[in-house]
Amino acid sequence: MHLETSDQNLISNYGKGVLGVNGQDYTGNIIITRTRVVQDWFDGEVKSLTLAHFDPIFDEAEADRPEILLLGSGHQHIFPDFSLMAELRQRGVSLEVMNTRAACRTYSVLVNEYRPVAAALLQIRE
């Protein structure tokens, strides 16, 4: 075991009703990028997600726009409307959908490889 340090946001823990980033726990849905955590990002069903829900990854506060966006859809693997995937692709972002546990693990691998990644994570409720 060794202490991991980084200049990037790292997912420190995840489980039912909690997502931890750099040792801070969040109980709402979040977007995590290399440099920011957007709290209480979305509250609703995956199918109701629109491009506007992902504005935080396109705004001026985001220094490096991610090329890969992981959508952690909660306990189950649920796809959003396929038009959302096409709209994000038109903006240069590839959307990868998986359950939140898988998204947390995948984000950790990609961010440690310094890949341009962000994760939109819905809490695990079950």
Side-chain angles (χ1 to χ4, degrees), residues 40-97:
D40 301 319
W41 153 69
F42 169 77
D43 187 28
E45 298 296 319
V46 172
K47 293 286 186 186
S48 67
L49 283 168
T50 66
L51 186 62
H53 289 113
F54 299 96
D55 283 348
I57 68 169
F58 298 110
D59 70 22
E60 297 297 320
E62 193 54 48
D64 297 318
R65 180 174 295 166
E67 295 172 9
I68 303 164
L69 175 61
L70 306 172
L71 173 60
S73 58
H75 176 68
Q76 297 180 340
H77 185 172
I78 302 169
F79 280 95
D81 189 283
F82 285 104
S83 64
L84 174 63
M85 298 171 105
E87 291 172 318
L88 285 165
R89 191 75 202 127
Q90 288 175 346
R91 305 269 318 252
V93 177
S94 176
L95 181 67
E96 300 293 332
V97 182

Side-chain angles (χ1 to χ4, degrees), residues 98-117:
M98 55 200 74
N99 69 48
T100 297
R101 286 180 175 88
C104 288
R105 292 187 303 267
T106 303
Y107 174 85
S108 294
V109 169
L110 294 176
V111 79
N112 279 312
E113 293 176 351
Y114 289 90
R115 302 277 303 275
V117 63

